[in-house]
């Protein structure tokens, strides 16, 4: 059974992952109605991945004899300004999640819970990938600037990232 402090911290992370999934789902909907099909598919995929991150935590907490709590979530925004602003928001959100995971890892060390510490290493590695991916996309967007043709190509290219991340998601879970 997990210590209460660890159970609470993991439940907090469960909520953060669930909220991340909702934020990216909302971004997917916004991109879809703007006609950015590739960006929308990317965001739907991100949303699915965050749900997987949440479920992995839920199962871990319950399997350790504790209780994963599913709580109310903060509603995400429904519009995101420009698609560049939306990806800036995604990047900032991933930095926030990385901080939260780091804090969680710190707590497990303080409590000498090495099993949970070990379990969380998957999330540490995942955050490195997610931050890098978001940064790469932002760099591309900055290169495109206001060019409509560039945006069209970007929307097409990002579908390739969806395919690649689908393959790695299936390999990891
Ligand atoms: Fe599960 Fe992208 O944080």
């Amino acid at each position: 059974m997990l210590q209460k402090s660890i159970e609470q911290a993991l439940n907090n992370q469960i909520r953060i992952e669930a909220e991340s999934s909702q934020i990216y789902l909302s971004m997917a909907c916004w991109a879809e109605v703007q006609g950015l099909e590739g960006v929308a598919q990317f965001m739907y995929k991100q949303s699915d991945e965050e749900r997987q991150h949440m479920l992995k935590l839920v199962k871990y907490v319950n399997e350790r004899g504790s209780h994963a709590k599913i709580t109310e979530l903060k509603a995400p925004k429904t519009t995101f300004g420009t698609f560049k602003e939306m990806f800036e928001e995604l990047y900032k959100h991933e930095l926030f999640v990385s901080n939260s995971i780091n804090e969680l890892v710190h707590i497990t060390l303080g409590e000498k819970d090495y099993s949970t510490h070990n379990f969380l290493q998957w999330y540490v590695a995942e955050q490195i990938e997610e931050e890098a991916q978001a940064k790469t996309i932002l760099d591309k967007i900055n290169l495109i600037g206001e060019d409509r043709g560039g945006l069209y190509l970007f929307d097409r290219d990002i579908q390739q990232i969806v395919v690649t991340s689908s393959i790695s998601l299936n390999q990891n879970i």
Side-chain angles (χ1 to χ4, degrees), residues 14 129 145 155 162:
I14 286 170
E129 263 184 44
D155 190 54
V162 177

Side-chain angles (χ1 to χ4, degrees), residues 17 20 24 46 49-50 53 94 97 123 126-127 130:
E17 300 293 348
S20 303
Y24 298 154
Q46 288 299 113
E49 285 193 19
E50 298 303 345
H53 296 174
E94 287 303 326
V97 175
Y123 287 85
E126 181 71 8
Q127 280 313 118
E130 297 223 324

Side-chain angles (χ1 to χ4, degrees), residues 1-2 10 59-67 113 115-116:
M1 193 150 180
L2 297 166
L10 288 170
K59 287 183 180 151
Y60 178 77
V61 171
N62 290 339
E63 278 166 8
R64 295 297 309 278
S66 295
H67 186 182
D113 182 344
S115 309
T116 305

